[in-house]
């Protein structure tokens, strides 16, 4: 059995705490939380570069989208065969468009949670990820159960309410050692500044280790986000990055370099590095162009 271990580098106050999310590849076997990597790096230092075997480079955005749809289908099939239900966490942004055309019989046994979401009405077609997902693909996912927000602009209230809704799900398994939820698959996007979900650089939310769902008042309206340990604790974590434009002919290459291989970034300066050893990174050739020869 192939097992990938993640070590998140968390610094809280003046004391450091290492969080070891559980691993999942082809079975439900999980590592005990007392099992750590043999080499431990300071929480304020850059974690090791992502292993080459966890970076998948494909020709273009269409190929990345097709791979993401296949990953979702395969994860759903495996989860339903194993424990009867598929727990999926999705972000907003370009990944929503990658899910267009996906679906199947498995959607009737699928629950969807949002990695992050603005604190707006759920039918807000401009700002609500839920409304966009419904329009793009979720309306055709027969029988799926999306966990939605209350639709207020109160970030703290929405975060507490959303965590409560997740805690009530009997289909969402828990890690016996940590109590963290275990999504079968978490799809993650990365911003140019390294944010994942609504965990932004140099903010206290990225250091949270206890709560599942956090309010983020960085912008107006505020948003809620899954915490980094919850994202990393999914049985399968997949980061997708692709797309080029006239303005950015190399697409997301600089962001992927910083997220995957830079020796200068920490979880505080570029939060995506917290997923280096947990995630499978699926990207197009443009996004991978600055990673170095061994990744291409």
């Amino acid at each position: 059995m192939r097992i990938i271990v993640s070590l998140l580098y968390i610094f809280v106050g003046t004391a450091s705490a290492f969080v070891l999310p559980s691993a999942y590849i082809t079975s439900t076997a999980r590592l005990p939380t007392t099992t750590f990597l043999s080499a431990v790096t300071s929480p304020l230092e850059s974690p090791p570069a992502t292993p080459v075997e966890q970076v998948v480079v494909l020709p273009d955005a269409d190929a990345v989208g097709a791979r993401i749809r296949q990953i979702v289908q395969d994860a759903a099939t495996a989860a339903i065969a194993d424990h009867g239900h598929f727990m999926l966490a999705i972000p907003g942004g370009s990944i929503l468009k990658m899910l267009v055309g996906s679906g199947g019989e498995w959607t009737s046994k699928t629950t969807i949670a949002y990695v992050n979401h603005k604190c707006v009405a759920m039918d807000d077609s401009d700002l609500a990820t839920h409304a966009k997902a419904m329009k793009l693909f979720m309306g055709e996912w027969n029988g799926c159960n999306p966990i939605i927000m209350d639709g207020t602009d109160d970030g703290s209230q929405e975060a507490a309410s959303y965590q409560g809704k997740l805690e009530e799900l009997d289909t969402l398994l828990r890690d016996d050692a940590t109590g963290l939820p275990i999504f079968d698959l978490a799809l993650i996007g990365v911003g140019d500044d390294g944010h994942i979900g609504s965990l932004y650089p140099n903010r206290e939310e990225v250091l949270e280790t206890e709560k599942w769902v956090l309010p983020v008042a960085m912008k107006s309206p505020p948003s809620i986000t899954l915490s980094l340990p919850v994202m990393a604790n999914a049985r399968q974590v997949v980061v997708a990055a692709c797309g080029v434009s006239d303005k950015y002919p190399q697409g997301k290459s600089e962001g992927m370099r910083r997220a995957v291989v830079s020796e200068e970034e920490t979880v505080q300066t570029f939060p995506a590095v917290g997923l280096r050893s947990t995630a499978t990174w699926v990207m197009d050739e443009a996004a991978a162009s600055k990673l170095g020869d061994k990744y291409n």
Side-chain angles (χ1 to χ4, degrees), residues 21-38:
S22 302
Y24 171 92
I25 296 299
T26 58
S27 80
T28 57
R30 307 178 67 77
L31 291 177
T33 54
T34 53
T35 301
F36 290 91
L37 296 179
S38 58

Side-chain angles (χ1 to χ4, degrees), residues 173-198:
L173 302 180
R174 306 277 190 94
D175 186 300
D176 291 338
T178 66
L180 290 172
I182 306 170
F183 286 95
D184 294 300
L185 173 63
L187 299 177
I188 308 292
V190 178
D192 292 339
D193 61 355
H195 78 265
I196 49 177
S198 291

Side-chain angles (χ1 to χ4, degrees), residues 116-122 124 127-129 149-159 198 214-217 219-225:
N116 61 312
H117 201 293
K118 294 183 185 302
C119 297
V120 297
M122 293 298 95
D124 187 325
L127 297 178
T129 295
M149 296 166 61
D150 297 334
T152 76
D153 61 359
D154 187 325
S156 295
Q157 176 182 312
E158 289 286 359
S198 291
L214 312 173
V216 181
K219 301 178 181 180
S220 181
S223 62
I224 65 171
T225 184

Side-chain angles (χ1 to χ4, degrees), residues 9 43-47 202 264-274:
Y9 302 89
L44 295 182
E45 293 181 2
S46 180
N202 301 311
E264 300 174 354
E265 304 294 352
T266 71
V267 71
Q268 291 176 293
T269 65
F270 209 78
V273 306

Side-chain angles (χ1 to χ4, degrees), residues 182-246:
I182 306 170
F183 286 95
D184 294 300
L185 173 63
L187 299 177
I188 308 292
V190 178
D192 292 339
D193 61 355
H195 78 265
I196 49 177
S198 291
L199 298 176
Y200 290 89
N202 301 311
R203 288 183 59 87
E204 62 183 8
E205 293 90 3
V206 76
L207 305 178
E208 175 62 49
T209 62
E210 299 295 331
K211 294 179 181 178
W212 296 7
V213 184
L214 312 173
V216 181
M218 179 176 173
K219 301 178 181 180
S220 181
S223 62
I224 65 171
T225 184
L226 298 181
S227 67
L228 185 51
V230 169
M231 293 184 203
N233 202 53
R235 286 187 163 125
Q236 190 174 8
V237 184
V238 176
V239 175
C242 62
V244 297
S245 64
D246 291 339

